[in-house]
Amino acid sequence: MALAATPISVTNDTSYPSHPLSLLPKCTSLKQLKQIQAFAIKTHLQNDLNILTKLIQYCTQNPTPSSMEHAHQLFDTIHQPHIILFNSMARGYSRSNTSLKAIDLFIQALNDGLFPDNYTFPSLLKACACAKAFHEGKQLHGLAIKLGLNENIYVFPTLINMYTECNDVDAARQVFDKIAEPCIVSYNAIIKGYARSSRPNEALSLFRELQAKKLEPTDVTMLSILSCCALLGALDLGKWIHEYVKKNGFDKYVKVNTALIDMYAKCGSLDDAVSIFESMRIRDTQAWSALIMAYATHGQSYKALSMFQEMEKARVQPDEITFLGLLYACSHTGLVEEGCQYFYSMSAKYGIIPGIKHYGCMVDLLGRAGRLDEAYKFIDELPINPTPILWRTLLSACSSHGNVELGKQVIERIFELDDSHGGDYVILSNLCAKAKKYEDVDALRKLMIDRGAVKIPGCSSIEVNNVVHEFFSGKGVHCVSTTLYQALDELVKELKLVGYVPDTSLVSHADMNDGEKEITLRYHSEKLAIAFGLLNTPPGTTVRVVKNLRVCGDCHSAAKLISSIFQRQIILRDVQRFHHFKNGKCSCGDYW
């Protein structure tokens, strides 16, 4: 139970304060602040500008909705407030959950004749970034230019951050390129923007640029760069960055170590991720959650659940990410009852309100287990409006279990929300093709064309000799593509000798014969990447591939055989999880 704030005594004769400000150092709550304000009124100092300024600054230092409301009331009592006082208000609002009230107050201040200074726009732009208020942010940018305050060392980074938070990293880059001598704060802002926008190569290029300029990176820089390595799945690059982290003392930061866990896990090296965790002297909620998620995505579900028990023994409070890892672990191992228990304990035991990703994990958990009607009902009865992603999760489950009729119902629900995603048409089309419902296949293909829906092409990447090579289904991007195709043709011949039969049912083109369908399957991006890895790495080396979509069933079967024939471990990261292929088996146990 929370303790009530202790009143500040103002009635003791021997220590009766002569001025309200002498009480502020002892103030620990808004209730006590109001007592001080009452004392100021009693001593006829309620209009003293110095006292009002200090009271407002106290309210905005660690802002809450009630403290900001009180600060605003105090601000409104001041006739012609100084810009410094407005900046305090804007800074407070920018760090609160009512950040856009800073803009309303700014408009009021402008109408009252207040003129902004160098410290005004950073807080206002931060408020827009927090609220994703792109329109207001652009207007502030224009006003800053008009007033000649845009080319300020404090304004530049906040402008860059505002644009990236509002998902316009190209506008952020235009701002960055106008800086004559960008400082590390500006570099951090644009690098973070590229990392958040899944454009890691641009971020890494800027990191090399700041190094060439002899600028000293910070822990913020390293967090973004490690995120880029994770996005690329570039283990060798990640290991180099790890050495850089240790050499420059960044490994003293808990967040940097947590980012290292995440990077190693996403680059396919679970052992390195575990090693980082075990070396940490301080392990916070994020560190535990990162390791639980790492175990879950690598198919070691029981280890993930065991780590949660260790986390509870260590008396570390879980958060929403912790439960994402737990639900993920249960989903990919078929632990339906356990997953349901974790889901309902979130709010009942820990007071954590489930988010859209937790709901998605529950749909995935039920769908993978074949409880499709239950998953449909779960989405239909959600306390929030379901997103297309939730329905897509169920559509994938319908495809896995061959339920055409429910798949048709689900896609109608998707189309009510978004009919522009080409992958939806393809999933149902493939499902109908397997059921030999070719009229439905043709209808879906026509509908897809009429609506201009485009399917994201399959893309797989592999890092060889510190260079990330990308392959797209059906074609390569290398000058050695002819050699690669020939090697892949020979590889498929070897696979057929040990029992590989291409699953042409996965190709929904009714106008193709089996031979043409087999060719389409052969040049899937993950097969091209694996073949490239076999050609360009020494025998026995682990082949690590990253794919932007879910690995297809035919490539999954082929990878198992390749791992056996060539005695290579293949680690394939798709959009959902890691598959560790070794000695003809996969870590997912074919439950994926």
Side-chain angles (χ1 to χ4, degrees):
M1 187 171 76
L3 296 175
T6 303
I8 296 178
S9 174
V10 294
T11 58
N12 189 306
D13 290 337
T14 60
S15 60
Y16 195 79
S18 59
H19 199 280
L21 289 182
S22 64
L23 294 169
L24 267 178
K26 301 177 183 179
C27 185
T28 60
S29 69
L30 183 59
K31 182 178 179 180
Q32 290 180 348
L33 186 87
K34 289 180 178 179
Q35 288 179 315
I36 296 172
Q37 185 182 350
F39 178 54
I41 295 170
K42 186 175 180 179
T43 53
H44 307 291
L45 294 171
Q46 67 269 28
N47 295 320
D48 185 288
L49 185 59
N50 191 32
I51 292 176
L52 288 171
T53 299
K54 295 295 183 183
L55 292 175
I56 289 172
Q57 287 175 341
Y58 179 90
C59 289
T60 59
Q61 190 172 3
N62 294 296
T64 64
S66 54
S67 73
M68 287 308 302
E69 182 181 358
H70 191 68
H72 203 140
Q73 290 171 356
L74 291 170
F75 184 85
D76 286 342
T77 66
I78 303 173
H79 181 63
Q80 292 184 331
H82 194 274
I83 188 61
I84 293 175
L85 199 53
F86 170 80
N87 290 344
S88 293
M89 289 294 299
R91 189 160 48 249
Y93 272 128
S94 72
R95 293 183 295 170
S96 73
N97 58 4
T98 55
S99 55
L100 276 187
K101 286 189 177 181
I103 307 300
D104 297 332
L105 188 63
F106 182 58
I107 294 170
Q108 175 188 322
L110 287 177
N111 290 333
D112 291 341
L114 207 63
F115 194 85
D117 66 7
N118 289 335
Y119 300 97
T120 306
F121 285 99
S123 294
L124 293 173
L125 290 166
K126 183 180 177 182
C128 292
C130 292
K132 313 291 185 189
F134 182 66
H135 181 66
E136 290 84 350
K138 285 186 70 176
Q139 287 183 313
L140 285 171
H141 188 185
L143 182 60
I145 294 172
K146 184 177 179 180
L147 298 175
L149 296 172
N150 60 307
E151 296 188 2
N152 177 273
I153 59 170
Y154 301 109
V155 174
F156 272 132
T158 50
L159 266 173
I160 294 168
N161 182 60
M162 182 275 294
Y163 279 119
T164 57
E165 288 290 332
C166 294
N167 300 316
D168 193 345
V169 72
D170 292 323
R173 182 58 188 262
Q174 289 176 15
V175 173
F176 178 82
D177 287 340
K178 290 178 181 176
I179 307 174
E181 294 291 335
C183 63
I184 190 59
V185 178
S186 295
Y187 268 104
N188 284 348
I190 189 64
I191 288 172
K192 180 182 177 183
Y194 276 129
R196 288 182 69 256
S197 301
S198 297
R199 291 166 63 173
N201 290 318
E202 287 100 326
L204 290 167
S205 176
L206 285 166
F207 178 63
R208 288 188 285 269
E209 183 180 299
L210 74 85
Q211 286 182 298
K213 291 183 177 180
K214 307 298 183 185
L215 288 173
E216 293 291 333
T218 68
D219 57 312
V220 175
T221 322
M222 304 319 300
L223 289 174
S224 296
I225 294 303
L226 286 168
S227 172
C228 291
C229 295
L231 283 168
L232 289 169
L235 182 61
D236 291 341
L237 178 61
K239 286 185 173 181
W240 183 86
I241 297 295
H242 185 191
E243 289 302 315
Y244 186 92
V245 163
K246 290 189 290 186
K247 182 180 178 181
N248 291 276
F250 293 116
D251 53 348
K252 67 185 178 184
Y253 296 101
V254 175
K255 285 188 176 181
V256 172
N257 282 315
T258 301
L260 281 166
I261 294 171
D262 182 65
M263 181 275 293
Y264 276 122
K266 289 179 178 174
C267 289
S269 183
L270 182 59
D271 289 343
D272 283 318
V274 173
S275 177
I276 294 294
F277 180 83
E278 290 178 345
S279 70
M280 293 174 69
R281 289 181 299 146
I282 300 173
R283 300 166 182 165
D284 61 5
T285 298
Q286 287 72 36
W288 282 94
S289 299
L291 189 63
I292 288 171
M293 183 65 81
Y295 276 125
T297 54
H298 280 268
Q300 296 196 27
S301 299
Y302 291 102
K303 191 66 178 176
L305 304 187
S306 174
M307 288 305 299
F308 180 62
Q309 293 175 352
E310 294 296 320
M311 182 181 183
E312 288 188 307
K313 288 178 184 177
R315 301 195 177 191
V316 178
Q317 189 73 8
D319 64 5
E320 60 275 8
I321 304 299
T322 317
F323 282 97
L324 274 180
L326 294 172
L327 292 173
Y328 211 85
C330 293
S331 173
H332 286 272
T333 317
L335 301 173
V336 179
E337 301 309 320
E338 291 86 345
C340 290
Q341 288 174 10
Y342 283 124
F343 177 77
Y344 291 113
S345 73
M346 283 179 63
S347 54
K349 184 177 179 180
Y350 298 99
I352 300 171
I353 304 301
I356 198 69
K357 290 184 178 180
H358 301 99
Y359 294 132
C361 283
M362 284 299 293
V363 174
D364 192 49
L365 176 72
L366 296 169
R368 286 178 187 277
R371 294 159 67 162
L372 302 178
D373 292 333
E374 195 175 338
Y376 189 100
K377 183 180 178 183
F378 179 85
I379 300 175
D380 230 12
E381 295 178 352
L382 284 178
I384 61 171
N385 293 325
T387 64
I389 293 175
L390 289 181
W391 289 112
R392 285 183 186 123
T393 302
L394 181 53
L395 182 63
S396 293
C398 291
S399 176
S400 298
H401 292 281
N403 193 324
V404 177
E405 295 310 312
L406 185 59
K408 289 180 179 179
Q409 293 179 45
V410 170
I411 206 166
E412 288 301 322
R413 300 298 295 268
I414 295 174
F415 288 163
E416 290 172 7
L417 302 169
D418 178 14
D419 62 4
S420 64
H421 195 278
D424 302 328
Y425 300 83
V426 173
I427 289 173
L428 187 59
S429 177
N430 290 342
L431 177 56
C432 291
K434 282 185 179 180
K436 302 190 183 303
K437 296 181 179 290
Y438 296 115
E439 289 183 4
D440 290 332
V441 172
D442 293 338
L444 281 164
R445 196 173 300 280
K446 183 178 184 303
L447 192 61
M448 183 177 175
I449 294 171
D450 291 344
R451 291 177 176 173
V454 179
K455 181 183 180 294
I456 298 172
C459 174
S460 297
S461 61
I462 181 171
E463 183 188 29
V464 176
N465 296 326
N466 295 316
V467 177
V468 176
H469 305 263
E470 288 187 333
F471 300 91
F472 292 86
S473 293
K475 60 180 181 179
V477 294
H478 297 274
C479 60
V480 295
S481 59
T482 301
T483 303
L484 179 61
Y485 274 64
Q486 290 173 348
L488 186 52
D489 291 342
E490 292 301 316
L491 175 60
V492 171
K493 288 179 183 178
E494 288 190 58
L495 294 180
K496 287 182 175 180
L497 292 176
V498 292
Y500 167 66
V501 179
D503 187 359
T504 55
S505 69
L506 294 172
V507 183
S508 61
H509 292 271
D511 54 342
M512 283 187 178
N513 59 41
D514 285 345
E516 291 170 325
K517 290 180 180 180
E518 182 181 331
I519 293 296
T520 299
L521 285 173
R522 181 179 304 176
Y523 301 129
H524 273 191
S525 65
E526 51 266 66
K527 290 194 186 79
L528 288 166
I530 291 171
F532 184 83
L534 294 175
L535 280 174
N536 293 281
T537 58
T541 306
T542 297
V543 176
R544 303 173 190 273
V545 174
V546 177
K547 187 178 181 184
N548 65 333
L549 303 173
R550 188 175 185 233
V551 60
C552 88
D554 186 74
C555 290
H556 192 270
S557 299
K560 288 196 293 184
L561 291 171
I562 293 170
S563 72
S564 177
I565 294 172
F566 292 90
Q567 288 299 293
R568 295 275 202 120
Q569 183 176 7
I570 301 170
I571 300 177
L572 195 158
R573 177 182 120 193
D574 70 7
V575 73
Q576 292 187 326
R577 64 173 297 158
F578 277 89
H579 298 267
H580 293 250
F581 301 96
K582 189 174 182 180
N583 298 325
K585 296 181 180 179
C586 180
S587 60
C588 72
D590 296 336
Y591 188 86
W592 55 281

